[in-house]
Coordinates of all heavy atoms in Angstrom, one line a residue:
L293 N -1.2 102.9 -130.9 CA -1.7 104.3 -131.0 C -3.2 104.2 -131.3 O -4.0 105.0 -130.8 CB -1.0 105.1 -132.0 CG 0.4 105.5 -131.6 CD1 1.1 106.2 -132.7 CD2 0.3 106.6 -130.4
D294 N -3.6 103.2 -132.1 CA -5.0 103.2 -132.5 C -5.9 102.4 -131.4 O -6.9 102.9 -131.2 CB -5.2 102.4 -133.9 CG -4.7 103.2 -135.0 OD1 -4.5 104.4 -134.9 OD2 -4.4 102.6 -136.1
K295 N -5.3 101.4 -130.8 CA -6.1 100.6 -130.0 C -5.9 100.8 -128.5 O -6.8 100.6 -127.7 CB -5.8 99.0 -130.2 CG -6.0 98.6 -131.6 CD -7.4 98.8 -132.1 CE -7.7 98.2 -133.5 NZ -9.1 98.4 -134.0
H296 N -4.7 101.3 -128.1 CA -4.4 101.6 -126.7 C -3.6 102.9 -126.6 O -2.5 102.8 -126.1 CB -3.6 100.4 -126.1 CG -4.2 99.1 -126.3 ND1 -5.2 98.7 -125.4 CD2 -4.0 98.0 -127.2 CE1 -5.6 97.4 -125.8 NE2 -4.9 97.0 -126.8
P297 N -4.1 104.0 -127.1 CA -3.4 105.3 -127.1 C -3.0 105.7 -125.7 O -2.0 106.4 -125.6 CB -4.4 106.2 -127.7 CG -5.8 105.6 -127.4 CD -5.6 104.1 -127.5
Q298 N -3.7 105.3 -124.6 CA -3.3 105.7 -123.3 C -2.0 105.2 -122.9 O -1.3 105.8 -122.0 CB -4.4 105.3 -122.3 CG -4.3 103.8 -121.9 CD -5.0 102.9 -122.9 OE1 -5.5 103.4 -124.0 NE2 -5.0 101.7 -122.8
L299 N -1.5 104.2 -123.5 CA -0.2 103.6 -123.1 C 1.0 104.5 -123.6 O 2.0 104.4 -123.1 CB 0.0 102.2 -123.7 CG -1.0 101.1 -123.1 CD1 -0.8 99.8 -123.9 CD2 -0.8 101.0 -121.7
L300 N 0.7 105.2 -124.7 CA 1.8 106.0 -125.4 C 1.5 107.5 -125.4 O 2.0 108.2 -126.3 CB 2.0 105.5 -126.8 CG 2.4 104.0 -127.0 CD1 2.6 103.6 -128.5 CD2 3.7 103.7 -126.2
E301 N 0.8 108.0 -124.4 CA 0.6 109.4 -124.4 C 1.9 110.1 -124.0 O 2.7 109.7 -123.1 CB -0.4 109.8 -123.2 CG -1.8 109.3 -123.5 CD -2.7 109.7 -122.4 OE1 -2.3 110.2 -121.4 OE2 -4.0 109.4 -122.5
A302 N 2.3 111.1 -124.9 CA 3.7 111.6 -124.7 C 3.7 113.1 -125.2 O 3.0 113.4 -126.2 CB 4.6 110.8 -125.5
A303 N 4.5 113.8 -124.6 CA 4.8 115.2 -125.0 C 5.8 115.1 -126.2 O 5.7 116.0 -127.1 CB 5.4 116.1 -123.9
F304 N 6.7 114.2 -126.2 CA 7.7 114.1 -127.3 C 8.2 112.6 -127.2 O 8.1 112.0 -126.1 CB 8.8 115.1 -127.3 CG 9.5 115.2 -126.0 CD1 10.6 114.4 -125.8 CD2 9.2 116.2 -125.1 CE1 11.3 114.5 -124.6 CE2 9.9 116.3 -123.9 CZ 10.9 115.4 -123.6
V305 N 8.8 112.2 -128.3 CA 9.5 110.8 -128.3 C 10.9 110.9 -128.7 O 11.3 111.7 -129.6 CB 8.6 110.0 -129.4 CG1 9.3 108.6 -129.6 CG2 7.2 109.8 -129.0
F306 N 11.7 110.1 -128.1 CA 13.0 109.8 -128.5 C 13.0 108.4 -129.1 O 12.5 107.4 -128.5 CB 14.0 109.8 -127.4 CG 14.3 111.2 -126.8 CD1 14.6 111.3 -125.5 CD2 14.3 112.2 -127.6 CE1 14.8 112.6 -124.9 CE2 14.5 113.6 -127.1 CZ 14.7 113.7 -125.7
N307 N 13.7 108.2 -130.3 CA 13.6 107.0 -131.0 C 14.9 106.8 -131.8 O 15.8 107.7 -131.8 CB 12.4 107.0 -132.0 CG 12.2 105.7 -132.6 OD1 12.6 104.7 -132.2 ND2 11.5 105.7 -133.8
E308 N 15.1 105.7 -132.4 CA 16.3 105.4 -133.2 C 16.1 106.3 -134.5 O 15.0 106.8 -134.8 CB 16.3 103.9 -133.6 CG 15.1 103.4 -134.3 CD 15.4 103.0 -135.7 OE1 16.5 103.1 -136.2 OE2 14.4 102.6 -136.4
G309 N 17.1 106.3 -135.4 CA 17.0 107.0 -136.7 C 18.0 108.1 -136.8 O 18.3 108.6 -137.9
G310 N 18.6 108.5 -135.6 CA 19.8 109.5 -135.7 C 21.0 108.8 -135.2 O 21.1 107.5 -135.2
G311 N 22.0 109.6 -134.9 CA 23.3 109.0 -134.4 C 24.4 109.8 -134.8 O 24.3 110.8 -135.7
G312 N 25.6 109.4 -134.3 CA 26.8 110.2 -134.6 C 27.5 109.6 -135.9 O 27.3 108.4 -136.2
Q313 N 28.2 110.5 -136.5 CA 29.0 110.2 -137.7 C 30.5 110.3 -137.4 O 30.9 111.3 -136.8 CB 28.7 111.1 -138.9 CG 27.2 111.0 -139.3 CD 26.8 112.0 -140.4 OE1 27.6 112.9 -140.7 NE2 25.6 112.0 -140.8
L314 N 31.2 109.2 -137.7 CA 32.6 109.2 -137.7 C 33.3 109.2 -139.1 O 32.8 108.6 -140.0 CB 33.2 107.9 -137.0 CG 32.7 107.6 -135.6 CD1 33.1 106.3 -135.1 CD2 33.3 108.6 -134.6
D315 N 34.4 110.0 -139.2 CA 35.0 110.0 -140.5 C 36.0 108.8 -140.6 O 36.1 108.0 -139.6 CB 35.7 111.3 -140.8 CG 36.9 111.7 -139.9 OD1 37.3 110.8 -139.1 OD2 37.3 112.8 -139.8
E316 N 36.8 108.8 -141.6 CA 37.7 107.6 -141.8 C 38.8 107.5 -140.7 O 39.3 106.4 -140.4 CB 38.4 107.7 -143.2 CG 37.4 107.5 -144.4 CD 36.6 108.7 -144.7 OE1 36.8 109.8 -144.0 OE2 35.8 108.7 -145.6
T317 N 39.0 108.6 -140.0 CA 40.1 108.6 -139.0 C 39.5 108.4 -137.6 O 40.2 108.4 -136.6 CB 40.8 110.0 -139.0 OG1 40.0 111.0 -138.6 CG2 41.3 110.3 -140.3
G318 N 38.1 108.3 -137.5 CA 37.5 108.1 -136.2 C 37.0 109.4 -135.6 O 36.6 109.4 -134.4
R319 N 37.3 110.5 -136.3 CA 36.8 111.8 -135.7 C 35.3 112.0 -135.7 O 34.7 111.6 -136.7 CB 37.5 112.9 -136.5 CG 37.1 114.3 -136.0 CD 37.9 115.4 -136.9 NE 37.4 115.4 -138.2 CZ 36.4 116.1 -138.7 NH1 35.8 117.0 -137.9 NH2 36.2 116.1 -140.0
R320 N 34.8 112.4 -134.6 CA 33.3 112.7 -134.6 C 32.9 113.9 -135.4 O 33.3 115.0 -135.1 CB 32.9 112.8 -133.1 CG 33.1 111.6 -132.2 CD 32.6 111.9 -130.8 NE 33.0 110.7 -130.0 CZ 34.1 110.6 -129.4 NH1 35.0 111.5 -129.5 NH2 34.3 109.5 -128.6
M321 N 32.2 113.7 -136.4 CA 31.9 114.8 -137.3 C 30.6 115.5 -136.9 O 30.4 116.7 -136.9 CB 31.6 114.2 -138.7 CG 32.9 113.6 -139.3 SD 32.6 112.9 -140.9 CE 32.1 114.4 -141.9
A322 N 29.5 114.7 -136.4 CA 28.2 115.3 -136.1 C 27.4 114.4 -135.3 O 27.6 113.1 -135.5 CB 27.5 115.8 -137.3
N323 N 26.6 114.9 -134.4 CA 25.5 114.0 -133.8 C 24.2 114.4 -134.4 O 23.6 115.4 -134.2 CB 25.5 114.4 -132.3 CG 24.6 113.4 -131.5 OD1 24.2 112.3 -132.1 ND2 24.3 113.7 -130.3
T324 N 23.8 113.5 -135.4 CA 22.5 113.9 -136.2 C 21.3 113.5 -135.4 O 21.2 112.6 -134.6 CB 22.6 113.1 -137.5 OG1 22.6 111.8 -137.3 CG2 23.8 113.5 -138.3
V325 N 20.2 114.3 -135.6 CA 19.0 114.1 -135.0 C 17.9 113.9 -136.1 O 17.7 114.9 -136.8 CB 18.6 115.2 -134.0 CG1 17.2 115.0 -133.4 CG2 19.7 115.3 -132.9
Q326 N 17.2 112.8 -136.2 CA 16.3 112.6 -137.2 C 15.0 113.4 -136.8 O 14.4 113.0 -135.8 CB 16.0 111.1 -137.4 CG 15.1 110.8 -138.6 CD 13.8 110.2 -138.2 OE1 13.1 110.7 -137.4 NE2 13.5 109.0 -138.8
A327 N 14.6 114.4 -137.6 CA 13.5 115.2 -137.3 C 12.3 115.0 -138.3 O 11.3 115.6 -138.1 CB 13.8 116.7 -137.1
A328 N 12.6 114.2 -139.3 CA 11.6 114.0 -140.4 C 12.1 112.7 -141.0 O 13.2 112.2 -141.0 CB 11.6 115.1 -141.4
E329 N 11.1 112.1 -141.7 CA 11.4 110.9 -142.5 C 10.5 110.8 -143.7 O 9.4 111.4 -143.7 CB 11.3 109.6 -141.7 CG 9.9 109.3 -141.2 CD 9.8 108.1 -140.3 OE1 10.6 108.2 -139.2 OE2 9.2 107.1 -140.6
K330 N 11.0 110.1 -144.7 CA 10.2 110.0 -146.0 C 8.9 109.1 -145.7 O 8.9 108.3 -144.8 CB 11.0 109.4 -147.1 CG 12.0 110.4 -147.6 CD 12.7 109.9 -148.8 CE 13.4 111.0 -149.7 NZ 14.0 110.4 -150.9
K331 N 8.0 109.3 -146.6 CA 6.7 108.5 -146.5 C 6.9 107.2 -147.5 O 7.4 107.4 -148.6 CB 5.6 109.4 -147.0 CG 4.3 108.7 -146.9 CD 3.1 109.7 -147.2 CE 3.3 110.5 -148.4 NZ 2.1 111.4 -148.6
F332 N 6.5 106.1 -146.9 CA 6.6 104.8 -147.7 C 5.3 104.7 -148.5 O 4.2 104.8 -148.1 CB 6.6 103.7 -146.6 CG 6.8 102.4 -147.1 CD1 8.0 101.7 -147.0 CD2 5.7 101.7 -147.7 CE1 8.1 100.4 -147.6 CE2 5.8 100.4 -148.3 CZ 7.1 99.7 -148.1
Q333 N 5.5 104.6 -149.9 CA 4.4 104.6 -150.8 C 4.7 103.6 -152.0 O 5.8 103.8 -152.6 CB 4.1 105.9 -151.4 CG 2.8 106.0 -152.2 CD 1.6 105.6 -151.4 OE1 1.2 106.3 -150.5 NE2 0.9 104.6 -151.9
N334 N 3.9 102.7 -152.3 CA 4.1 101.8 -153.3 C 3.2 102.1 -154.5 O 2.0 102.6 -154.3 CB 3.8 100.3 -152.9 CG 4.9 99.7 -152.1 OD1 6.0 100.1 -152.2 ND2 4.6 98.7 -151.2
Y335 N 3.6 101.7 -155.7 CA 2.9 101.8 -156.9 C 3.0 100.5 -157.7 O 4.1 99.8 -157.5 CB 3.4 103.0 -157.8 CG 3.2 104.3 -157.1 CD1 4.2 104.8 -156.2 CD2 2.1 105.2 -157.4 CE1 4.1 106.0 -155.6 CE2 2.0 106.4 -156.8 CZ 3.0 106.8 -155.9 OH 2.9 108.1 -155.2
T336 N 2.1 100.1 -158.5 CA 2.1 98.9 -159.2 C 2.0 99.2 -160.7 O 1.1 99.9 -161.1 CB 0.9 98.0 -158.8 OG1 1.0 97.7 -157.5 CG2 1.0 96.6 -159.6
I337 N 2.9 98.7 -161.4 CA 2.9 98.8 -162.9 C 2.6 97.4 -163.5 O 3.2 96.4 -163.2 CB 4.3 99.2 -163.5 CG1 4.7 100.6 -162.8 CG2 4.3 99.3 -165.0 CD1 6.1 101.0 -163.2
V338 N 1.6 97.4 -164.4 CA 1.0 96.2 -165.0 C 1.0 96.2 -166.5 O 0.6 97.2 -167.1 CB -0.3 95.8 -164.4 CG1 -1.0 94.5 -165.1 CG2 -0.3 95.7 -162.9
A339 N 1.5 95.2 -167.1 CA 1.4 95.0 -168.5 C 0.6 93.7 -168.8 O 0.8 92.7 -168.1 CB 2.7 94.8 -169.2
T340 N -0.5 93.8 -169.7 CA -1.3 92.6 -169.9 C -1.2 92.3 -171.5 O -0.9 93.1 -172.3 CB -2.7 92.8 -169.5 OG1 -3.2 94.0 -170.2 CG2 -2.8 93.0 -168.0
N341 N -1.6 91.0 -171.8 CA -1.4 90.5 -173.2 C -2.4 89.4 -173.4 O -2.8 88.7 -172.3 CB 0.0 90.2 -173.4 CG 0.2 89.9 -174.9 OD1 0.0 88.9 -175.4 ND2 0.8 90.9 -175.6
A342 N -2.8 89.1 -174.6 CA -3.7 88.0 -174.8 C -2.9 86.6 -174.7 O -3.6 85.6 -174.5 CB -4.2 88.1 -176.3
G343 N -1.6 86.7 -174.8 CA -0.8 85.5 -174.5 C -0.9 84.6 -175.8 O -1.1 85.0 -176.9

Side-chain angles (χ1 to χ4, degrees):
L293 286 172
D294 289 341
K295 304 297 184 182
H296 304 283
Q298 74 283 358
L299 296 178
L300 297 182
E301 291 179 359
F304 55 86
V305 172
F306 291 146
N307 189 22
E308 58 111 2
Q313 299 174 353
L314 300 171
D315 65 12
E316 292 78 3
T317 67
R319 179 176 65 91
R320 296 180 184 86
M321 298 175 62
N323 189 13
T324 61
V325 178
Q326 189 243 54
E329 64 185 62
K330 284 186 163 183
K331 182 168 58 176
F332 184 104
Q333 184 65 58
N334 283 336
Y335 299 82
T336 301
I337 302 176
V338 177
T340 57
N341 192 278

